[in-house]
Amino acid sequence: MTALLPPLLAVGIVLLLSACVTAPEPSEAPVAEPPVEAAPAAPAPELTLNLPSREQCQCQPSPERDLTFLERGYQALSQGDAVTALQHFQRYKRLETVAAAQWEADVAIAYLAMLPDSPLYDHDAAEQSYQALARRLLPDMQVHATALLMRDSLAAFALLNRHIADLESSNATLTEDLAKREEAIRRLRELTLGQSRGSQP
């Protein structure tokens, strides 16, 4: 038994050593790979709008107008007070300098020149004012609705005035023609009577 012990011991040592050699090494913890950095995203293209720049924009807000005196003039006119209406319209024109206000005041004053009971009554001047005002009104002008009605009244008045002038001219021509005809008839009568008297024995 003691004789077998050294060989057994030698075999055990050999087995032990072979086990140490062939035993798998403890697995090492997996090394974490460094995270793959994402490529930087390309910037989104800028959205361009075809809007006018501040430098290019010539737009200016329309200045506010105080319509108090204009509307007071309309009120006085509706009550038949042409003198007070004229004063209000003139004051409105002095205080408000924008083109629309000047046009509104001028239309109202021209309208007064159309009214027979107005101190400004002058049908020829009213027609001339209408012609000038029609050229001054621009499409982008924001004017009072009553001023537009006055403009339309002036247009109708100017047309009526021209018709009256045409009728008066035509009447004058007819009167002249009638006078000439009467003169011709008178001469013809005198001639006829002279001949009849001369033919008597």
Side-chain angles (χ1 to χ4, degrees):
M1 186 73 181
T2 56
L4 291 174
L5 187 59
L8 286 175
L9 183 60
V11 171
I13 292 172
V14 169
L15 287 175
L16 182 62
L17 288 175
S18 66
C20 291
V21 171
T22 60
E25 296 182 0
S27 61
E28 297 180 358
V31 179
E33 296 182 2
V36 178
E37 294 185 3
E46 291 187 10
L47 182 63
T48 55
L49 299 176
N50 294 327
L51 298 176
S53 65
R54 290 179 179 268
E55 293 78 10
Q56 294 175 346
C57 183
Q58 302 296 328
C59 310
Q60 293 185 357
S62 301
E64 292 295 327
R65 304 196 308 274
D66 184 357
L67 302 176
T68 302
F69 288 106
L70 181 66
E71 291 177 347
R72 284 182 184 174
Y74 293 154
Q75 182 67 25
L77 192 57
S78 69
Q79 295 171 354
D81 190 349
V83 174
T84 302
L86 174 62
Q87 292 171 350
H88 286 313
F89 295 144
Q90 289 173 336
R91 188 166 186 184
Y92 177 70
K93 185 174 181 177
R94 285 196 306 270
L95 294 176
E96 302 296 329
T97 58
V98 296
Q102 296 293 304
W103 189 86
E104 289 166 337
D106 289 339
V107 158
I109 293 169
Y111 182 85
L112 286 173
M114 184 184 78
L115 303 177
D117 58 347
S118 167
L120 297 179
Y121 177 67
D122 184 340
H123 58 85
D124 291 332
E127 183 174 356
Q128 291 174 4
S129 296
Y130 164 72
Q131 300 294 339
L133 288 164
R135 292 190 295 269
R136 282 172 47 198
L137 181 62
L138 302 177
D140 59 344
M141 287 171 62
Q142 302 293 324
V143 296
H144 200 286
T146 304
L148 293 175
L149 289 174
M150 286 182 163
R151 184 271 317 266
D152 294 343
S153 297
L154 280 167
F157 176 79
L159 181 61
L160 180 61
N161 194 37
R162 285 195 295 273
H163 284 331
I164 291 173
D166 291 342
L167 288 173
E168 288 176 347
S169 176
S170 177
N171 188 39
T173 303
L174 289 173
T175 302
E176 184 180 351
D177 290 346
L178 182 59
K180 289 178 180 178
R181 183 176 300 177
E182 288 177 350
E183 178 66 18
I185 291 172
R186 185 182 63 80
R187 289 181 180 178
L188 181 60
R189 185 182 300 132
E190 289 177 354
L191 181 61
T192 304
L193 289 174
Q195 287 180 352
S196 62
R197 286 174 186 171
S199 63
Q200 290 179 359

